[in-house]
């Protein structure tokens, strides 16, 4: 069955610390997509990254980086030199054809990140 | 380019009433999905529409329904509201709903009293 697990419910760091948010997924499909979204207090889910199952190359975008490892079914997200503006809830999500189509996102429970000055 | 627009932003309804929420997708996007977010259950998929047809449905009772119009705008309806329907309802749009990025609106916060 498809599932996304974000074991860290809440993380609290001091500004400029590096922080890694963990995401482990389960799927029987060989083709799937993984996403990270950020949800600030305003409520809107802000897209951060999409990865397909055939692309295990790690990605860096400014202070953000993502580590995708199919061998451990993980798609972890690291924020380098965290800032107060990074405070939000972060969601990892999976979409796969086996869920009735790629049009359905399966979300993890989210990790609430608090960055203190 | 305008983002996904959801109206209204906030709603307070009484148990037993019905409610309609609206979503205008990004121009050119034909897939619209709806999600319910609650503290207890997290983000859960409600349904997805493409070209005015429901393609996929989550595990919600029949009180939850939706539709999509020819301009891709979508509405969802909840009948016979229950206290447990209080939630943030999020709409997302994507080009074809085939694994592309789904862009979300700011949501409608529904409170049932």
């Amino acid at each position: 069955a498809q599932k996304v697990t974000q074991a860290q419910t809440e993380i609290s760091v001091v500004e400029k610390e590096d922080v890694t948010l963990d995401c482990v997924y389960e799927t029987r499909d060989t083709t799937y997509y993984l996403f990270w979204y950020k949800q600030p207090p305003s409520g809107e889910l802000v897209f951060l990254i999409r990865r397909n199952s055939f692309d295990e190359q790690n990605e860096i975008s400014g202070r953000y980086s993502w580590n995708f490892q199919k061998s451990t079914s993980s798609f972890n997200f690291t924020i380098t030199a965290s800032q107060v503006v990074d405070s939000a809830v972060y969601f990892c999500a999976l979409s796969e054809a086996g869920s009735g189509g790629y049009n359905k996102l399966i979300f993890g429970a989210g990790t609430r990140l608090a960055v203190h000055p | 380019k305008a983002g996904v627009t959801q109206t209204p932003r906030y709603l307070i309804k009484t148990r037993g009433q019905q409610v309609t929420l609206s979503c205008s997708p990004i121009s050119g996007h034909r897939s619209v999905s709806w999600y319910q977010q609650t503290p207890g259950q997290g983000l859960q998929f409600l349904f997805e529409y493409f070209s005015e047809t429901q393609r996929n449905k989550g595990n919600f009772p029949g009180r939850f329904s939706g539709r999509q119009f020819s301009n891709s705008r979508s509405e969802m309806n909840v009948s016979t509201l229950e206290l447990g329907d209080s939630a943030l309802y999020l709409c997302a749009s994507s080009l074809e709903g085939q694994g592309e990025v789904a862009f979300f609106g700011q949501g409608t916060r529904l409170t049932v009293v």
Side-chain angles (χ1 to χ4, degrees):
Chain A
Q2 63 278 13
K3 187 179 176 182
V4 176
T5 301
Q6 293 180 256
Q8 304 149 308
T9 306
E10 291 190 36
I11 299 177
S12 181
V13 300
V14 176
E15 213 170 14
K16 297 184 184 175
E17 279 187 45
D18 297 348
V19 58
T20 295
L21 310 182
D22 298 333
C23 173
V24 173
Y25 62 92
E26 293 176 34
T27 178
R28 290 199 180 110
D29 279 16
T30 55
T31 305
Y32 51 89
Y33 295 92
L34 294 165
F35 302 80
W36 275 96
Y37 284 87
K38 172 182 180 180
Q39 188 176 43
S42 61
E44 180 180 358
L45 284 170
V46 178
F47 165 75
L48 295 177
I49 190 171
R50 180 188 79 148
R51 260 287 175 267
N52 74 53
S53 52
F54 298 108
D55 182 4
E56 284 194 76
Q57 190 171 13
N58 292 330
E59 181 158 337
I60 298 175
S61 176
R63 297 184 297 106
Y64 295 172
S65 63
W66 290 269
N67 183 297
F68 176 26
Q69 291 196 330
K70 286 177 75 171
S71 60
T72 55
S73 296
S74 65
F75 186 41
N76 297 337
F77 172 31
T78 297
I79 302 175
T80 303
S82 59
Q83 299 176 1
V84 172
V85 293
D86 295 327
S87 297
V89 181
Y90 290 86
F91 291 94
C92 180
L94 164 73
S95 94
E96 48 168 31
S99 301
Y102 291 111
N103 47 55
K104 172 183 176 181
L105 286 170
I106 300 153
F107 285 91
T111 297
R112 182 177 299 278
L113 174 65
V115 182
H116 303 283
Chain B
K1 206 172 191 181
V4 178
T5 303
Q6 291 187 246
T7 55
R9 291 289 313 279
Y10 303 92
L11 264 180
I12 299 177
K13 289 286 188 179
T14 303
R15 204 167 29 174
Q17 287 186 314
Q18 75 164 18
V19 66
T20 299
L21 313 182
S22 180
C23 173
S24 293
I26 291 171
S27 178
H29 285 192
R30 297 199 291 163
S31 169
V32 174
S33 300
W34 289 88
Y35 293 82
Q36 181 197 64
Q37 184 176 24
T38 59
Q41 300 299 317
L43 277 156
Q44 292 187 288
F45 173 79
L46 279 157
F47 29 63
E48 186 255 2
Y49 286 87
F50 179 82
S51 290
E52 302 179 66
T53 301
Q54 186 183 88
R55 281 198 305 195
N56 201 353
K57 190 177 189 308
N59 296 324
F60 280 83
R63 300 185 296 106
F64 291 82
S65 63
R67 60 177 176 168
Q68 187 181 35
F69 302 95
S70 58
N71 61 358
S72 294
R73 190 177 70 86
S74 177
E75 289 181 347
M76 68 162 281
N77 184 278
V78 188
S79 62
T80 319
L81 284 165
E82 299 177 359
L83 296 178
D85 297 333
S86 295
L88 179 66
Y89 290 89
L90 290 161
C91 166
S93 78
S94 66
L95 281 169
E96 304 279 333
Q98 294 300 312
E100 316 97 3
V101 176
F103 294 93
F104 284 79
Q106 287 192 295
T108 295
R109 185 163 296 282
L110 171 65
T111 302
V112 182
V113 298

